[in-house]
Amino acid sequence: MRIDYNCEYFNIKDTLECGQVFRFNHYKDGYLVYSADKCAYVHTDGGKTLIDSDDGDYFYRYFDLDRDYGKIVGAALSYEIPLLSKSASLCKGLRLLNQNKEEMIYSFVISQNNNIPRIKGIINKICTRLGERMSSPYGEYYAFPSSSALAGADVSVFSEAGAGYRDGYLSSISKRICDEGIAKLENLSTEELKKELLTYKGIGPKVADCVALFAFKKTDSFPVDTWIEKVYFEDFNGKLKDRKKITEYFVNSFGEYSGFIQQYLFYGKRLNL
DNA sequence: TACCAGGACGTGC
DNA sequence: GCACGTCATGGT
């Protein structure tokens, strides 16, 4: 089935390439997007962003289509911060995805002290090796592996995929989730969720913020990585050095809009706006 | 060659 | 509690 949505506040390029998601490929005049075991073909035509998939409900929620981004962009512009205004106005079609929770946990554990092209490659290799083989009208692909598939794999599978020293984290976390599930992560406040995520070996404050934001849609989260640190020093005249305190500073400034604004700033900085 | 990339852990104090 | 060295890997 097909979903069509006005492209003013839904730009597929910005939404996919802003760094929140690692599983997508260029395809024809658009993109193939993968989430968990699902796949969609997304492209733009005649002022509409079109989503073709066999699970419209899933991708309607995935792309966060039930949310007013005009209001969010308006709030971002109201701060009159040059980098933020440039990014929010130029990338107002950037949407925060609702991604699969377990997939986000593993993906952002891989992301630590790493760069985006490598992260994508490592995840792709792990999916190819351990994920279920799927077919779609656009060709075959591999689902993101279940936690039991990850837990059953030898740690060498992760190192051979290029995960480096993070291989043990992936084994440890997948075994824990395979045993106990992630039910205890549900229905928590942002603070409670982040605190619980920190009990997984390999998840620190930054990854916990990313998982809270990109998987649990805790929009009062503000992940601070090397790029956001640069933003803080160069565009906010920041003086703090502790990343957790920088997170606090931004969340105190932007409240429930923190996660959206973080993404505008991160993407805008990487685009050198 | 040294430094960087969506950082976290273990140790020592 | 905090500072610091270390942890794979590939690109520049």
Side-chain angles (χ1 to χ4, degrees), chain A residues 95-113:
Chain A
R95 306 182 76 88
L96 275 197
L97 303 172
N98 293 297
Q99 302 192 65
N100 179 268
K101 292 166 183 171
E102 295 181 32
E103 179 171 344
M104 286 297 92
I105 289 173
Y106 302 118
S107 296
F108 277 96
V109 164
I110 292 167
S111 81
Q112 66 176 253
N113 199 26

Side-chain angles (χ1 to χ4, degrees), chain A residues 104-198:
Chain A
M104 286 297 92
I105 289 173
Y106 302 118
S107 296
F108 277 96
V109 164
I110 292 167
S111 81
Q112 66 176 253
N113 199 26
N114 211 338
N115 60 62
I116 291 176
R118 281 200 73 238
I119 297 163
K120 293 176 68 172
I122 293 165
I123 292 172
N124 186 50
K125 284 174 190 159
I126 291 174
C127 290
T128 302
R129 181 70 188 275
L130 298 174
E132 187 180 350
R133 190 174 178 82
M134 312 292 290
S135 63
S136 77
Y138 320 104
E140 299 197 318
Y141 65 98
Y142 292 90
F144 195 92
S146 66
S147 285
S148 65
L150 294 169
D154 190 272
V155 67
S156 63
V157 171
F158 304 124
S159 45
E160 284 166 10
Y165 68 90
R166 311 164 193 81
D167 56 356
Y169 299 155
L170 296 172
S171 284
S172 161
I173 294 174
S174 61
K175 283 169 184 161
R176 177 172 166 186
I177 293 180
C178 192
D179 286 343
E180 64 185 44
I182 57 168
K184 62 157 70 170
L185 299 178
E186 304 289 352
N187 303 313
L188 299 178
S189 69
T190 304
E191 279 314 305
E192 290 169 336
L193 172 61
K194 288 201 271 187
K195 184 178 176 186
E196 182 62 29
L197 286 167
L198 290 178

Side-chain angles (χ1 to χ4, degrees), chain A residues 196-249:
Chain A
E196 182 62 29
L197 286 167
L198 290 178
T199 66
Y200 292 79
K201 186 172 295 184
I203 298 185
K206 189 272 175 182
V207 170
D209 264 309
C210 285
V211 173
L213 179 59
F214 299 133
F216 290 82
K217 217 43 174 285
K218 300 292 192 184
T219 64
D220 55 339
S221 301
F222 201 103
V224 176
D225 68 331
T226 57
W227 290 96
I228 289 294
E229 214 169 40
K230 252 178 258 181
V231 169
Y232 175 67
F233 293 132
E234 296 175 7
D235 298 276
F236 287 79
N237 194 26
K239 302 299 179 195
L240 299 171
K241 297 216 166 177
D242 179 31
R243 286 191 176 186
K244 282 161 76 175
K245 290 187 176 173
I246 298 175
T247 292
E248 277 182 41
Y249 163 79

